[in-house]
């Protein structure tokens, strides 16, 4: 994206960027110069004081890839592909599909729930801090950009399966969750890890309006699950930093579990001595369990999980059989001796 050098005489100072009107005037002015929203998306005069309304629509991005933050670190991109994690039997999903068919209730909770990206304009993913709390040698708070730059990034192509029975295949960029956990220095008595997501109703229109959800979003894993080789922290996809609707600036990817076990826009990691609560389980315990492993033998109480709609390109979808642990049996079967291997009735696990 082009960097536009502005004449300091008419560059708005941060302090002047306090009202929606000021922002609007600036946009109209830019439009008159033919700079439009591309210029608004560059760093120089983006308001960082969050004073504008998240639901104003004034900052609406132009398209699903217009939401990759300009200030996301790009060192190490595109990262080398890890040959151990490819999906030979399916094509990689078109990146426009993966970034325009999403679930992210902080941004939208009514209407077309999958069309998330147009509602992400006010959300600022950088700078970002990540807190480490609970059963650890000492509490830590990291600047995420520094953390990302200190990690070896790799690319992994994973199957992704939502509990709603749609699926995609995605090349993620990031690092193993185990590497992050090592840096957290958890005490041996920690049995679980809980992840807490962003809580900023002024930047998140869904969060601002959906009071029936127990915000912020939270998820959790057993320690042995979190340390599994497959558990991945994604900071990018398709060779670039994550778009906001896909979880910028960081999210978990646990390809053997249903998508909702992978929290997006994480702000805190907390090590605990008991099984943590999880967002969807709190809301609908009769439908969503703690483990939530992908399993074609265990139907959701309201639909079958035996097959899935594979989304490859816009308007192209194919019904394919769902595999146990989403095809990751050999990595995770030892963790779950009780996972049903033959068709069963609905069991919430
Ligand atoms: N913070 C947060 N994380 C979240 C969600 C959410 O609403 N909020 N939705 C979950 C669900 S249900 C799915 S299927 C995946 C979707 O990820 P994607 O949109 O990048 O494909 O994110 C998961 N993580
Ligand atoms: Mo999902």
């Amino acid at each position: 994206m082009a960097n536009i050098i502005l004449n300091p005489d008419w560059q708005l100072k941060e302090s002047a960027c306090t009202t929606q009107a000021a922002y609007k005037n600036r946009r109209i002015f830019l439009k008159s110069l033919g700079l439009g929203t591309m210029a608004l998306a560059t760093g120089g005069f983006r308001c960082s004081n969050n004073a504008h309304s998240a639901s104003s629509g004034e900052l609406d991005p132009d398209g699903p890839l217009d939401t990759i933050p300009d200030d996301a670190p790009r060192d190490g991109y595109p990262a080398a592909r890890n040959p151990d994690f490819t999906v030979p039997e399916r094509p990689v999903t078109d990146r426009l599909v993966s970034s325009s068919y999403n679930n992210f209730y902080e941004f939208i909770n009514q209407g077309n729930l999958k069309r998330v990206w147009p509602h992400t304009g006010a959300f600022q993913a950088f700078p970002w801090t990540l807190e480490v709390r609970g059963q650890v040698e000492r509490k830590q708070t990291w600047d995420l950009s520094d953390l990302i730059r200190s990690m070896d990034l790799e690319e992994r192509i994973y199957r992704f399966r939502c509990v709603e029975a749609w699926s995609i295949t995605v090349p993620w960029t990031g690092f193993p969750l185990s590497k992050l956990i090592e840096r957290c220095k958890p005490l041996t008595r920690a049995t679980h890890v809980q992840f807490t997501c962003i809580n900023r109703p002024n930047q998140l229109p869904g969060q601002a309006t959906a009071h029936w959800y127990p915000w912020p979003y939270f998820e959790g894993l057993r320690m042995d699950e979190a340390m599994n080789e497959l558990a991945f922290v994604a900071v990018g996809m398709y060779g670039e930093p994550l778009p906001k609707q896909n979880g910028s600036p960081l999210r978990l990817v646990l390809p053997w579990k249903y998508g909702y076990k992978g929290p997006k826009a994480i702000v805190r990691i907390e090590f605990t001595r008991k099984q943590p609560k999880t967002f969807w389980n709190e809301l609908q315990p009769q439908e969503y369990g703690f483990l939530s492993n992908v399993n074609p033998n265990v139907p959701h109480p309201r639909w079958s999980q035996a097959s899935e709609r594979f989304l490859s390109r816009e308007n192209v979808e194919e019904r394919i059989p769902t595999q146990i642990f989403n095809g990751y049996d050999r990595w995770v079967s030892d963790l779950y001796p009780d996972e049903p291997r033959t068709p069963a009735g609905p069991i919430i696990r």
Side-chain angles (χ1 to χ4, degrees):
M1 194 172 275
N3 262 318
I4 292 155
I5 311 296
L6 295 169
N7 178 335
D9 282 343
W10 51 270
Q11 180 167 2
L12 279 183
K13 291 211 169 62
E14 290 262 301
S15 57
C17 247
T18 50
T19 64
Q20 189 187 321
Y23 213 85
K24 198 172 180 176
N25 288 340
R26 169 136 308 263
R27 188 173 187 149
I28 290 164
F29 181 52
L30 286 165
K31 279 228 162 110
S32 73
L33 292 178
L35 296 175
T37 50
M38 291 296 275
L40 270 177
T42 59
F45 44 79
R46 174 180 284 186
C47 288
S48 58
N49 56 7
N50 313 330
H52 51 267
S53 154
S55 54
S56 70
E58 285 302 307
L59 298 166
D60 286 353
D62 290 331
L65 300 181
D66 197 33
T67 62
I68 299 174
D70 291 328
D71 35 12
R74 282 181 175 261
D75 320 51
Y77 283 89
R81 185 166 294 175
N82 183 332
D84 296 340
F85 303 104
T86 58
V87 181
E89 81 284 8
R90 302 180 192 175
V92 164
T93 297
D94 190 298
R95 69 184 300 196
L96 288 176
V97 172
S98 302
S99 291
S100 49
Y101 189 87
N102 298 99
N103 270 332
F104 209 157
Y105 289 87
E106 284 87 336
F107 288 110
I108 180 155
N109 59 69
Q110 56 194 341
N112 185 350
L113 295 177
K114 302 298 174 209
R115 213 175 128 81
V116 174
W117 65 264
H119 308 281
T120 60
F123 175 56
Q124 295 217 296
F126 292 92
W128 192 265
T129 51
L130 185 62
E131 295 183 348
V132 181
R133 296 291 185 270
Q135 304 295 322
V136 285
E137 281 181 21
R138 63 186 169 85
K139 293 181 192 172
Q140 301 192 67
T141 302
W142 294 317
D143 172 72
L144 187 72
S145 297
D146 292 345
L147 180 75
I148 293 173
R149 290 195 185 97
S150 73
M151 288 286 185
D152 288 328
L153 299 182
E154 60 178 272
E155 182 176 86
R156 294 184 178 190
I157 303 178
Y158 277 161
R159 300 177 197 90
F160 183 94
R161 172 63 156 81
C162 174
V163 74
E164 299 160 341
W166 54 268
S167 66
I168 51 180
T169 303
V170 179
W172 301 104
T173 304
F175 44 85
L177 177 58
S178 63
K179 292 268 185 288
L180 184 63
I181 290 180
E182 280 164 26
R183 293 202 188 187
C184 296
K185 298 197 182 3
L187 301 174
T188 49
R189 63 173 182 246
T191 58
H192 292 80
V193 52
Q194 179 164 38
F195 301 89
T196 308
C197 299
I198 188 67
N199 191 23
R200 270 187 217 168
N202 65 334
Q203 295 185 8
L204 303 164
Q207 200 169 60
T209 51
H211 302 291
W212 56 93
Y213 287 124
W215 305 115
Y217 197 93
F218 48 102
E219 254 303 337
L221 295 169
R222 291 187 330 221
M223 217 41 181
D224 59 348
E225 300 181 296
M227 293 301 286
N228 187 274
E229 194 188 352
L230 285 177
F232 200 60
V233 179
V235 296
M237 67 197 302
Y238 298 88
E240 288 198 89
L242 287 175
K244 294 180 195 174
Q245 65 275 20
N246 292 104
S248 181
L250 84 163
R251 56 98 52 89
L252 290 192
V253 185
L254 311 160
W256 73 100
K257 291 183 179 287
Y258 291 120
Y260 65 86
K261 289 294 295 182
K264 304 200 242 191
I266 300 165
V267 296
R268 191 166 71 243
I269 303 178
E270 185 174 346
F271 294 85
T272 65
R273 302 176 76 172
K274 59 176 180 95
Q275 181 176 301
K277 292 182 172 182
T278 62
F279 186 86
W280 290 107
N281 181 254
E282 283 288 289
L283 274 160
Q284 279 159 305
Q286 69 291 357
E287 298 195 353
Y288 305 109
F290 180 78
L291 291 180
S292 300
N293 294 319
V294 176
N295 190 335
N297 301 310
V298 180
H300 184 277
R302 292 184 280 135
W303 60 83
S304 166
Q305 296 290 26
S307 67
E308 62 204 52
R309 283 187 304 126
F310 178 65
L311 316 177
S312 74
R313 281 175 286 131
E314 208 181 351
N315 304 320
V316 178
E317 55 180 70
E318 194 190 336
R319 197 94 211 172
I320 57 173
T322 292
Q323 305 176 68
I324 188 148
F325 300 119
N326 205 19
Y328 296 98
D329 199 9
R330 88 179 160 86
W331 280 268
V332 297
S333 58
D334 291 353
L335 296 175
Y336 312 107
D338 300 332
E339 195 69 35
R341 295 276 168 172
T342 53
I347 318 166
I348 308 309
R349 308 182 72 228

